Amino acid sequence: MMTVGALRLIFFFIYLCLATAAGCDARTSRCPNGLAFALALSSSALVGFSISERAFVHRLIFAVLLLLLLVTFELLWRRARGGAGFGMGDIKVFFSMLLIHPLCAFTALGIACVFLCLFCLVRSRAHAPFLPFLVPSFVLVLILFESCALIL
């Protein structure tokens, strides 16, 4: 097991990568592959050092299966509609979120979808970058979930 200080340092790096990914997506509607790789690697390290090996393997298999399902759905969506839907960068970042905490990732996905819909309705836009909505939702849900778990 790693020390608490090392795990906090990895968490800080993950938050930094998430903020950078949201900023890149807001400006260019892209998430660089190197950034997604660093995020996936640091998320894997955090989870691998903080839970048991068996639980890590189960969580990794779940995240990879969901990643493959989302990529398949995105490719079918692009073929049917002719344009991007969820986006591959969003899927790569969501994979890292699933590794960190699956329940918080799904909750943040729902919250981000609601706020993205409201943003597009208010601004009368057909689409907008998703990561600027997903990342703050995930961080907020993760902080709230962890603080509620400490109380209980």
Side-chain angles (χ1 to χ4, degrees), residues 74-134:
E74 176 65 21
L75 292 175
L76 291 173
W77 180 270
R78 287 180 184 200
R79 186 173 198 81
R81 301 280 301 206
F86 194 57
M88 291 299 176
D90 303 329
I91 293 171
K92 290 183 276 189
V93 172
F94 188 65
F95 170 76
S96 296
M97 291 178 181
L98 281 172
L99 280 178
I100 296 169
H101 202 293
L103 182 61
C104 291
F106 279 115
T107 305
L109 182 70
I111 292 169
C113 285
V114 169
F115 281 112
L116 178 67
C117 290
L118 290 173
F119 176 80
C120 288
L121 281 174
V122 169
R123 293 283 182 124
S124 299
R125 295 177 63 175
H127 61 82
F130 188 60
L131 286 181
F133 297 97
L134 182 61

Side-chain angles (χ1 to χ4, degrees), residues 20-97:
T20 305
C24 286
D25 193 39
R27 280 183 275 125
T28 64
S29 295
R30 299 200 56 195
C31 179
N33 287 334
L35 182 60
F37 179 73
L39 190 56
L41 191 64
S42 58
S43 299
S44 298
L46 175 75
V47 174
F49 289 129
S50 60
I51 63 175
S52 71
E53 184 178 318
R54 185 180 181 117
F56 173 68
V57 170
H58 288 145
R59 191 178 288 188
L60 186 63
I61 290 170
F62 172 72
V64 167
L65 288 176
L66 194 59
L67 174 78
L68 292 174
L69 181 68
L70 286 171
V71 168
T72 303
F73 180 75
E74 176 65 21
L75 292 175
L76 291 173
W77 180 270
R78 287 180 184 200
R79 186 173 198 81
R81 301 280 301 206
F86 194 57
M88 291 299 176
D90 303 329
I91 293 171
K92 290 183 276 189
V93 172
F94 188 65
F95 170 76
S96 296
M97 291 178 181

